[in-house]
Amino acid sequence: MIFLLKISLVLIILFFIKVILISIFFFAEIKTAQQKDPAARSFLEVLLLYQGLHALISHRMAHFFYKMKLFFIARLISQFSRCMTGIEIHPGAQIGKGLFIDHGMGVVIGETAVIGDNVLLYQQVTLGGAGLEKGKRHPTIGNNVVIGAGAKVLGNITIEDNSYIGANAVVIKDVPLNSTVVGVPGRITKQDGKKIDISLDHIHILDPIMQSMEELEKRIKNLENNK
């Protein structure tokens, strides 16, 4: 009985040490989750229950072993994390500070993907390759980029800072600074000449094709009315 109590005490102590270490080393990611997710009620809730954070913790460990060329161990950690969180991050991917994966189920990040600071990814986002070529074959994502649910960013392309990729967009070409991309294939549109706000108003994203169609419809109606 005393032995079991000692074991339990040791496990409790180890748990608190783990919580403290995560709080220190992943403080930026936890605060980012609190800022970007209105459902996040507390620091502790994010720390213990957010699968995006735990996928990132596992990736940091896997990436360490990957750089040490211990590829099997690195992949083992990443696959275990995939089973636990539903988020697949290849150990070779390079990820900056403040990444927040909201919900996260179905997110896939490829081996040569590079992600900058303060990036927001929604569920079912794919940062994938576009062929079987060797070397750099996955996207480079800049700082303060938002990628909406279901979006696919494919190939060795660059999404530059402060850009927003709309939900379900398929992006296969470079995206310049402060751009918004929508549609399949992805089309660059402007938000009244302003960069997208990080708070994201998802329902007011302009589609250039839809805008052109609406303008044509107005012209046709005007012509019909003037007959």
Side-chain angles (χ1 to χ4, degrees):
M1 187 67 179
I2 294 175
F3 177 75
L4 290 175
L5 287 173
K6 288 182 178 179
I7 292 295
S8 299
L9 182 61
V10 169
L11 291 174
I12 291 170
I13 292 171
L14 289 174
F15 173 77
F16 278 106
I17 291 173
K18 177 184 175 181
V19 167
I20 291 168
L21 289 175
I22 293 173
S23 299
I24 294 171
F25 290 106
F26 292 88
F27 181 82
E29 285 74 17
I30 296 170
K31 295 302 293 183
T32 298
Q34 287 185 286
Q35 292 166 4
K36 295 181 180 179
D37 185 4
R41 292 177 174 82
S42 69
F43 187 93
L44 187 62
E45 179 185 20
V46 175
L47 189 151
L48 296 178
L49 302 178
Y50 272 48
Q51 69 269 35
L53 175 65
H54 288 278
L56 188 57
I57 293 168
S58 296
H59 173 70
R60 298 295 191 205
M61 292 188 289
H63 188 64
F64 170 80
F65 287 109
Y66 185 87
K67 290 194 296 183
M68 298 290 289
K69 300 189 183 301
L70 298 172
F71 301 121
F72 182 84
I73 296 174
R75 200 61 187 266
L76 181 65
I77 294 170
S78 71
Q79 290 302 106
F80 177 77
S81 175
R82 175 180 179 269
C83 292
M84 296 298 294
T85 65
I87 298 168
E88 182 171 347
I89 308 176
H90 193 284
Q94 300 176 46
I95 298 177
K97 296 179 181 179
L99 173 67
F100 177 42
I101 304 175
D102 195 5
H103 299 294
M105 183 61 69
V107 167
V108 177
I109 300 174
E111 179 182 18
T112 61
V114 178
I115 300 177
D117 297 336
N118 302 314
V119 171
L120 172 57
L121 305 180
Y122 283 89
Q123 66 271 19
Q124 297 183 337
V125 164
T126 298
L127 305 182
L132 298 177
E133 68 275 10
K134 300 292 184 180
K136 184 73 167 74
R137 60 189 186 279
H138 296 96
T140 296
I141 310 298
N143 300 324
N144 306 310
V145 171
V146 177
I147 304 182
K152 315 301 177 190
V153 185
L154 306 175
N156 182 18
I157 61 175
T158 300
I159 311 299
E160 295 197 27
D161 296 354
N162 306 315
S163 292
Y164 170 57
I165 310 301
N168 294 315
V170 177
V171 186
I172 55 175
K173 295 181 179 179
D174 291 342
V175 174
L177 287 166
N178 304 327
S179 297
T180 298
V181 179
V182 298
V184 181
R187 303 179 295 274
I188 296 174
T189 183
K190 294 180 180 179
Q191 297 294 307
D192 299 324
K194 302 173 184 177
K195 75 181 183 70
I196 193 77
D197 188 79
I198 198 67
S199 62
L200 290 187
D201 186 357
H202 288 280
I203 64 172
H204 296 113
I205 299 169
L206 303 178
D207 185 329
I209 290 181
M210 287 302 297
Q211 285 178 285
S212 297
M213 291 178 66
E214 288 172 0
E215 289 174 4
L216 284 172
E217 286 179 1
K218 288 179 182 178
R219 291 180 65 182
I220 291 170
K221 286 180 181 178
N222 289 334
L223 288 171
E224 290 176 345
N225 292 333
N226 293 330
K227 283 183 179 180

